[in-house]
Amino acid sequence: MRGMVGQVMRLIHVSLAEPDGQVSGRELRDAANYGDMIRTDTVIQFFIDDFLYQKRVKGEPPTVVTISQRAIGDLMHEIEQIKPDGMVFEGVALLQAIEAVRKRYPSLPIAVDFHNVEGALYRELRDARFPWLLRPIFRWLMASRYRAVDIADRRVVALANMVWVCSDDDRKSVLAFAPTSDVVTIANPIPDWGRQEYPSPVGPRLDVLFVGHLGYAPNKFAVRFLANRLRPLLMKRLPQAQLHVCGRNPSRKLVQFLRSRGVKVTENPATLVQIYNAAAVAAIPLRH
């Protein structure tokens, strides 16, 4: 953010206050961005704690949350008190807050971190539920909702001075619909504990490991693929190995499915250090 104006800045970093702490890639990325900014700038964190995820409301984008007027008012009061040089918003979900800030402070620099290009991800995940032959019909039925999520992405980009994305592919996706925008790739972080060295485990490393938030749809698709397609091949070639799926908040149905396929499942681990240390490889078949 400092590079946007070339000097040390006072920033307000706005995020959703999720109740479960740092348990997803989104939250880890958000914390890492804050940590990087605070090394060079003065950063005040502001958490929006009064919001609702969109239900199935016709014409409303499900990628955007509904924020209470009280929370919007608290954010405005914070801006008036701090008088920041810029704002950083965590994701398209905060469109309502971004619009309110831009309306009252039209010249205030705003950066928005796209954890995903939400419209494209939303379409991919819904399409994946149906066979190829049925997808055109489903897309026709979902056309108004698909338009709404795309409009939300475009609206956020139009309001922002700078957009951060996770990959060069995402950068190309944003520039495809907003070619004059300032879009910067900021890679996802490696947690600090992942940079440390640990003693080798006793015996050979044989686990094929998948780690991810197991309530997140792309990860659920991935572990089902691993259980159905990878594990049978693994057992033929290396029968002493095991497929290990590890992560937060899996449904009971998903756990039962994985264990019925002979997959080792670790739910809500307190630490990942020993789990990674015992693994031979990490499998990441993320298609969305």
Side-chain angles (χ1 to χ4, degrees):
M1 187 73 173
R2 183 171 66 162
M4 192 163 73
V5 295
Q7 63 183 15
V8 175
M9 303 177 69
R10 275 191 319 279
L11 304 174
I12 296 179
H13 183 228
V14 185
S15 307
L16 294 176
E18 299 283 10
D20 52 0
Q22 290 186 29
V23 299
S24 73
R26 178 182 67 78
E27 291 152 349
L28 290 171
R29 176 179 172 85
D30 194 33
N33 285 343
Y34 172 76
D36 286 343
M37 287 187 293
I38 205 168
R39 291 188 181 99
T40 55
D41 299 313
T42 301
V43 187
I44 293 88
Q45 284 189 299
F46 183 91
F47 293 99
I48 291 178
D49 59 0
D50 191 359
F51 65 91
L52 294 172
Y53 285 98
Q54 287 280 6
K55 302 299 182 182
R56 295 185 176 182
V57 180
K58 187 174 181 179
E60 294 294 330
T63 54
V64 173
V65 300
T66 300
I67 302 170
S68 73
Q69 288 304 305
R70 191 271 302 167
I72 294 290
D74 289 347
L75 176 59
M76 294 302 176
H77 177 73
E78 188 81 354
I79 295 171
E80 290 165 6
Q81 295 296 309
I82 301 299
K83 296 180 172 54
D85 300 303
M87 305 278 294
V88 178
F89 285 90
E90 179 254 326
V92 172
L94 293 170
L95 172 58
Q96 189 178 343
I98 297 167
E99 287 179 326
V101 171
R102 177 57 76 219
K103 183 176 180 180
R104 184 173 296 187
Y105 301 99
S107 61
L108 183 62
I110 290 176
V112 180
D113 186 25
F114 271 38
H115 300 117
N116 303 289
V117 182
E118 298 292 352
L121 178 62
Y122 186 85
R123 286 194 303 276
E124 286 181 18
L125 294 178
R126 270 77 197 159
D127 285 356
R129 296 176 179 177
F130 293 87
W132 284 100
L133 291 176
L134 294 179
R135 288 182 188 179
I137 298 172
F138 179 71
R139 288 168 185 163
W140 178 76
L141 293 172
M142 293 285 289
S144 63
R145 193 172 299 174
Y146 285 179
R147 280 195 299 271
V149 295
D150 285 339
I151 289 170
D153 283 354
R154 286 159 172 75
R155 178 64 177 154
V156 168
V157 173
L159 291 167
N161 299 88
M162 178 184 288
V163 174
W164 301 345
V165 293
C166 300
S167 69
D168 289 337
D169 284 345
D170 280 1
R171 183 174 184 273
K172 291 175 184 176
S173 295
V174 174
L175 290 174
F177 63 77
T180 62
S181 299
D182 188 1
V183 185
V184 179
T185 300
I186 299 177
N188 282 329
I190 298 171
D192 289 341
W193 61 262
R195 303 178 188 276
Q196 301 175 31
E197 293 186 7
Y198 298 92
S200 297
V202 177
R205 291 184 173 97
L206 292 174
D207 282 6
V208 176
L209 177 65
F210 179 92
V211 172
H213 195 305
L214 297 176
Y216 182 50
N219 292 341
K220 291 191 285 187
F221 281 121
V223 297
R224 286 181 177 275
F225 171 83
L226 290 173
N228 285 327
R229 300 286 296 278
L230 175 69
R231 189 178 180 279
L233 297 174
L234 184 66
M235 293 301 96
K236 286 181 180 179
R237 296 196 178 192
L238 198 65
Q240 68 270 37
Q242 66 178 353
L243 176 60
H244 185 183
V245 170
C246 174
R248 298 282 185 178
N249 300 338
S251 67
R252 182 179 300 177
K253 181 179 179 181
L254 181 62
V255 172
Q256 290 174 344
F257 165 80
L258 292 171
R259 287 178 175 159
S260 73
R261 298 298 193 276
V263 178
K264 178 182 177 181
V265 180
T266 300
E267 304 177 53
N268 303 307
T271 176
L272 293 173
V273 172
Q274 297 304 323
I275 290 169
Y276 270 111
N277 207 31
V281 295
I284 314 174
L286 294 176
R287 297 180 174 185
H288 309 289

